[in-house]
């Protein structure tokens, strides 16, 4: 086996990717209290909301209030999802440290999600990226459906590479590669990284797994064997479909921490504080979240 | 990465390890119907019950009726858990093809579970193993807590090796190494296999993971990179603690099949039939089982 990294940096995307599809409204005060808990866990980056049109994502319609009222922990980077110039304006007003722009590697998924072709998306994002950089912010590019698309099936790594090239050309600092529908198996991770790591240093690449089929932890292991040491995750494994009983969401921060700390890899994050943050949001949502480690912790209380 | 196996053999242990702790009684007729579904899935080995004292495992008190009434699919090996000579007598009467004996690698866990020291357990199992072999049956030895013990913590691979040596000396055909409390991470799997594979060919070693912390699929990937191609699993991920909401049990056959087939590894098993068997037992138990793939399948129906 190749050597594992000594340190892994997690980005907590629960307040954005985790909550965005929840039908149960979480009050602004509860969101703020929860994000403040996350800020104290030792995690170094939190995606705290989305500035997508609130008509599209009503669960996060209080994005600006949240941004203005959360306590800023020194050393923590606060980022938000930003779809366009209007979103960027609100995001800058709300005090983001970093903007996350997004598009799909799959033409059909991009059109269904953003209502534009891939080629028509680049100039929109280019403007947002340049403006955010000019405002002194970091910019991450999310690329969705890098392994499989619900409409097109398998996505060729060369297609992912083309999207990466365009986003790097526009000036993103790094890219987060999304297994949006949670279907990838470890060999797919290997195949994509074999292509992308010929072009980009590992520091520029983040992997973003959903756990829909229970493969995420194995995929993270595989990516780490390629040297990748940055991953996105959500407390409790938030992010499943709210209408689908038992459906998994993003890979759970709790489970990733169990893995990493068990392997002797440092994260700077206190597991207990993540478990407590998991119990908090689980009680606010009123349902059992998918994380195995959170369930174990909750039952041991 | 080392090469993965072309074929992996799964043993379905749901009817035994999956059901043994369930408080809800599953009728004998339902058990038989379910095991018959499993028999038709293409799985080559099913542990269909336990001949442990029914006072200890009331959920499986109908072991003999089940054994006598299930339909025997040609080419499928029907095994059962056998603790002692009395259990073996019943098991032979019920028509087992193979007996599974069991003990722990941890002294304290063995004493709590079997009420004997490890040294006092060997002669009891030795007699069962020899008698079962004389009756023309295969014998698998389960070794529990090969990674971590709830009482003793980390278990030294050399201690596991000593137990393996004794069981092989008594004549077991193969050994199933259990992550009984579901705490192992991939480096622990590597450390144990580095020791054991110096002594035994891979065909003799089966790995038996619980998914308590969500590590099982990653552990299976790791074991396959060592050439291991035999695993135990339960339909739906049955086997969690019945009083612990969301608690995971054994690694789910559904999720293992998703992984293996996604990697292009053959199993001879039809995923759809395993999903249907998962929905069947889930409806009988009246609760959502932990398998990610089963949840996905159930929600897509």
């Amino acid at each position: 086996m190749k050597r594992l990294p000594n340190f892994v940096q997690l980005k907590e995307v629960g307040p954005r990717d985790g909550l965005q599809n929840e039908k149960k409204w979480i009050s602004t005060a509860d969101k703020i209290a929860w994000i403040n808990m996350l800020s104290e866990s030792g995690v170094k980056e939190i995606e705290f909301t989305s500035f997508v049109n609130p008509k599209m994502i009503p669960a996060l319609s209080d994005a600006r209030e949240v941004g203005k009222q959360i306590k800023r922990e020194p050393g923590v980077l606060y980022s938000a999802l930003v779809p366009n110039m209007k979103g960027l304006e609100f995001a800058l007003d709300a005090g983001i440290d970093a903007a996350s722009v997004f598009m799909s590697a799959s033409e059909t998924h991009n059109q269904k999600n953003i209502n534009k072709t891939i080629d028509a998306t680049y100039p929109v994002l280019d403007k947002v990226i340049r403006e955010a950089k000019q405002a002194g912010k970091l910019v991450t590019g999310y690329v969705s459906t890098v392994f499989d698309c619900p409409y097109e099936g398998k996505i060729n790594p060369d297609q992912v590479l083309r999207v990466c090239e365009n986003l790097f050309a526009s000036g993103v600092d790094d890219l987060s590669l999304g297994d949006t529908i949670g279907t990838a198996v470890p060999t797919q991770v290997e195949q994509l990284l074999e292509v992308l790591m010929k072009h980009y240093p590992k520091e520029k690449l983040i992997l973003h797994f959903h756990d829909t089929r229970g493969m995420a932890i194995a995929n993270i292991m595989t990516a780490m064997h390629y040297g990748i040491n940055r991953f996105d995750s959500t407390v409790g494994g938030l992010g499943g479909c709210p209408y689908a009983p038992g459906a998994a969401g993003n890979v759970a921060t709790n489970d990733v921490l169990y893995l990493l700390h068990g392997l002797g890899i440092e994260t700077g994050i206190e597991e207990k504080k993540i478990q407590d943050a998991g119990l908090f949001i689980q009680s606010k949502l009123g349902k059992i979240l998918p994380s195995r480690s959170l369930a174990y912790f909750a039952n041991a209380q």
Side-chain angles (χ1 to χ4, degrees), chain A:
Chain A
M1 288 300 203
K2 291 172 208 170
R3 234 167 65 85
L4 292 167
N6 297 318
F7 184 88
V8 163
Q9 177 148 329
L10 297 184
K11 178 158 95 170
E12 174 58 46
V13 297
R16 195 277 300 172
D17 206 6
L19 286 191
Q20 67 184 7
N21 293 318
E22 288 297 335
K23 298 302 160 193
K24 178 152 189 205
W25 171 251
I26 302 296
S27 75
T28 305
D30 282 342
K31 283 181 186 135
I32 291 165
W34 181 49
I35 295 168
N36 289 346
M37 290 176 83
L38 295 171
S39 288
E40 288 169 10
S41 71
V43 70
K44 289 289 165 244
E45 191 168 359
I46 301 173
E47 194 159 273
F48 67 91
T49 194
S50 166
F51 289 92
V52 168
N53 185 335
K55 283 183 196 136
M56 305 298 292
I57 311 281
L60 303 180
S61 60
D62 54 359
R64 275 197 284 183
E65 296 93 299
V66 169
K68 289 184 179 186
Q69 294 176 51
I70 50 174
K71 188 166 164 263
R72 304 298 175 115
E73 187 75 19
V76 177
L77 197 79
Y78 293 89
S79 63
L81 201 69
V82 172
N84 50 32
M85 290 301 290
K86 187 79 188 165
L88 180 61
E89 185 189 314
F90 289 143
L92 291 172
D93 178 57
I96 56 163
D97 300 314
S100 305
V101 299
F102 59 97
M103 64 182 294
S104 291
S106 148
E107 184 64 53
T108 313
H109 187 263
N110 198 71
Q111 289 183 29
K112 298 246 185 195
N113 200 35
I114 304 185
N115 210 22
K116 285 188 183 62
T117 64
I118 283 180
D119 281 341
T121 305
Y122 292 137
V124 176
L125 298 191
D126 182 80
K127 198 161 176 223
V128 175
I129 294 163
R130 288 177 198 279
E131 187 87 7
K133 293 302 298 176
Q134 208 147 37
K137 307 303 175 188
L138 291 166
V139 182
T140 294
Y142 280 112
V143 185
S144 312
T145 63
V146 299
F147 302 108
D148 297 299
C149 166
Y151 312 106
E152 296 185 14
K154 297 266 171 282
I155 299 298
N156 192 312
D158 291 330
Q159 169 66 11
V160 181
L161 179 62
R162 272 191 295 276
V163 173
C164 293
E165 278 171 350
N166 276 281
L167 290 171
F168 276 126
S170 289
V172 296
D173 294 284
D174 43 37
L175 286 177
S176 176
L177 307 163
D179 182 12
T180 311
I181 54 172
T183 52
V185 293
T187 43
Q188 289 175 272
V189 177
E190 292 176 19
Q191 286 152 16
L192 181 63
L193 290 177
E194 290 283 352
V195 172
L196 295 186
M197 293 185 78
K198 282 189 191 119
H199 297 266
Y200 309 114
K202 65 177 165 49
E203 293 73 20
K204 297 282 182 189
L205 301 176
I206 303 152
L207 281 167
H208 177 109
F209 290 109
H210 286 241
D211 202 28
T212 323
R213 264 61 164 230
M215 301 295 118
I217 293 287
N219 287 335
I220 286 175
M221 273 304 291
T222 302
M224 288 197 296
H225 281 126
Y226 277 79
I228 297 293
N229 60 2
R230 300 179 65 189
F231 299 97
D232 298 338
S233 60
T234 65
V235 161
L238 279 164
C241 174
Y243 298 121
N250 292 66
V251 67
T253 309
N254 319 54
D255 299 349
V256 180
L257 288 178
Y258 184 86
L259 171 74
L260 296 175
H261 294 169
L263 296 171
I265 296 171
E266 287 182 33
T267 64
I269 301 171
E270 287 181 54
E271 262 175 86
K272 171 73 166 60
K273 291 191 173 172
I274 291 295
Q275 300 283 33
D276 288 338
L279 292 184
F280 178 87
I281 197 67
Q282 177 164 277
S283 77
K284 297 299 174 190
L285 287 167
K287 65 177 179 184
I288 301 288
L289 293 178
S291 167
R292 308 288 193 211
S293 291
L294 179 62
Y296 181 84
F297 180 79
N299 292 318
Q301 294 297 291

